[in-house]
Amino acid sequence: MPPAPKSGDALFASVDRVNAELFTLTYGAIVRQLLTDLEEVEEVNKQLDQMGYNIGTRLVDEFLAKSNVSRCVDFKETADVIAKLGFKMFLGVTATVTNWDAEGTSCSLVLEDNPLVDFVELPDTCQGLQYCNLLSGVIRGALEMVSMKTEVTWVRDMLRGDDAYEMRVKLIKQIPEEYPYKDD
Ligand code: MYR
């Protein structure tokens, strides 16, 4: 007997799942190709970060347009926006914001579920590989477009045996936006 036709919602859910799997597999293929081409794991890490940065500088416009988010009052609000809305919009998961420093300029984004690594196992030869560097680059690029210079690094990685994915986001400098008109 042929399977019952899917409802609209079920169809969209399965299309989303296939898109997510395609994205995960495509990313894996890109990392594999970079490993072949660049040979050095450190070079691959840099390249993934740069690719992410370039994506982030473009992605931020789509994010701001779709989310209707306006300027955040401080970096804490920005971190929440990324964790709850940004990750949800582009990865389908949310992150937890934690481990703030006293100044409120450094925090961790913790992902328990990371769609980028489904089906991934790192061979021993790739131990120094920062597999998810694309993601940290995306955050860095996106924030630079809204005047925040940041450093984003991975401090926990389940592919290396940690219990979660944790990236540290450190605000280095907030570039003041220039007001385009002179007050007379
Ligand atoms: C502000 O502080 O002015 C609000 C700016 C919020 C920027 C949020 C950038 C989100 C980038 C999406 C992250 C995607 C992760 C996969």
Side-chain angles (χ1 to χ4, degrees):
M1 206 159 84
K6 290 185 173 172
S7 71
D9 280 355
L11 190 61
F12 279 122
S14 56
V15 169
D16 278 353
R17 189 177 48 73
V18 172
N19 279 342
E21 282 179 11
L22 190 61
F23 166 70
T24 306
L25 293 170
T26 305
Y27 183 65
I30 290 170
V31 176
R32 184 183 278 266
Q33 191 62 48
L34 287 175
L35 283 165
T36 307
D37 292 349
L38 301 174
E39 292 169 8
E40 296 292 328
V41 159
E42 257 320 303
E43 288 307 307
V44 177
N45 292 343
K46 277 192 209 153
Q47 186 65 29
L48 291 172
D49 175 70
Q50 186 59 42
M51 285 166 62
Y53 175 88
N54 294 342
I55 293 170
T57 58
R58 290 165 175 78
L59 204 79
V60 69
D61 282 339
E62 187 181 338
F63 174 78
L64 293 173
K66 281 190 184 163
S67 67
N68 276 326
V69 162
S70 49
R71 293 318 313 255
C72 298
V73 292
D74 55 21
F75 191 53
K76 287 199 168 181
E77 194 181 337
T78 304
D80 276 337
V81 162
I82 295 172
K84 301 289 172 266
L85 303 178
F87 276 86
K88 190 74 191 163
M89 187 180 291
F90 296 108
L91 282 184
V93 296
T94 56
T96 306
V97 186
T98 183
N99 295 337
W100 279 101
D101 66 352
E103 294 78 31
T105 53
S106 223
C107 68
S108 290
L109 302 182
V110 178
L111 283 168
E112 259 108 58
D113 187 17
N114 180 353
L116 221 54
V117 301
D118 289 341
F119 328 114
V120 175
E121 251 179 64
L122 291 187
D124 287 346
T125 49
C126 291
Q127 286 312 310
L129 181 66
Q130 301 276 10
Y131 189 85
C132 300
N133 256 11
L134 187 99
L135 274 190
S136 38
V138 168
I139 305 291
R140 189 168 66 83
L143 288 180
E144 206 158 299
M145 289 300 108
V146 286
S147 312
M148 281 171 254
K149 193 150 184 50
T150 54
E151 257 172 30
V152 189
T153 48
W154 288 96
V155 293
R156 278 193 291 163
D157 183 339
M158 289 172 84
L159 290 177
R160 295 155 172 254
D162 298 323
D163 54 352
Y165 291 90
E166 174 177 349
M167 66 172 97
R168 195 87 197 136
V169 185
K170 183 176 168 55
L171 179 65
I172 306 293
K173 192 163 135 192
Q174 196 132 16
I175 308 147
E177 280 176 44
E178 283 185 21
Y179 189 56
Y181 310 107
K182 271 197 183 146
D183 287 329
D184 286 325

